[in-house]
Amino acid sequence: MSNRDASLFLVLGIIGVDASTKEAALMYLDGASVPVLPVLNLTLGFNTGVSFGMFAADGPGGWWTIVLVTLAVSAVVAWLWHRSHGRLERLGYAAILGGALGNLVDRVPDGAVTDFIDLHAGGWHFPTFNLADVGITAGVVMLLMATVTGAFAGRTEPGAGRP
């Protein structure tokens, strides 16, 4: 199996697991916050904006804007994924693409993304998020690691290609 095939499974896996966990959250979290760990609750929420509720969509014009921008960004990420050569780079783009498409699939029917992961400590709560957001974040971290280690653009070992 090629790196490209494996990364396609990552895209599809993130979309599938994200959709499944969002469905479970809708079924089992009925407004109550469920403590899981001292710093983690499961709390159902809906986000009509983008990351952390920024740019909340107001009306159909806002919804269309978010959907079209998400499609455009996803197309660029898909193109970068297709052109990528390094394994870590390709997996990073795949994780970002899977997360973006997972949230898009959730947003299209009713204009909101389902969030349910609530990290907190000492009365402070991080904005509620979902597994698609985790995929996007993990993808960005992988791209940063690929850049720092020199694994970008086909250099798969740290320092490869340096004099």
Side-chain angles (χ1 to χ4, degrees), residues 52-159:
F52 313 126
M54 295 185 300
F55 311 113
D58 293 327
W63 180 88
W64 275 108
T65 301
I66 290 175
V67 168
L68 292 175
V69 168
T70 301
L71 284 171
V73 169
S74 295
V76 170
V77 171
W79 179 75
L80 292 168
W81 170 60
H82 177 71
R83 293 181 38 89
S84 62
H85 298 288
R87 181 178 10 176
L88 193 56
E89 175 188 7
R90 182 170 290 123
L91 290 173
Y93 286 126
I96 293 169
L97 184 60
L101 293 176
N103 277 337
L104 182 64
V105 166
D106 188 33
R107 179 182 305 281
V108 167
D110 61 8
V113 171
T114 306
D115 290 326
F116 59 92
I117 302 171
D118 176 21
L119 290 176
H120 58 88
W124 173 84
H125 287 261
F126 190 77
T128 307
F129 58 98
N130 57 53
L131 291 182
D133 299 330
V134 172
I136 293 167
T137 302
V140 169
V141 169
M142 284 187 261
L143 290 178
L144 289 172
M145 288 173 48
T147 301
V148 169
T149 64
F152 219 82
R155 294 185 293 177
T156 57
E157 297 178 25

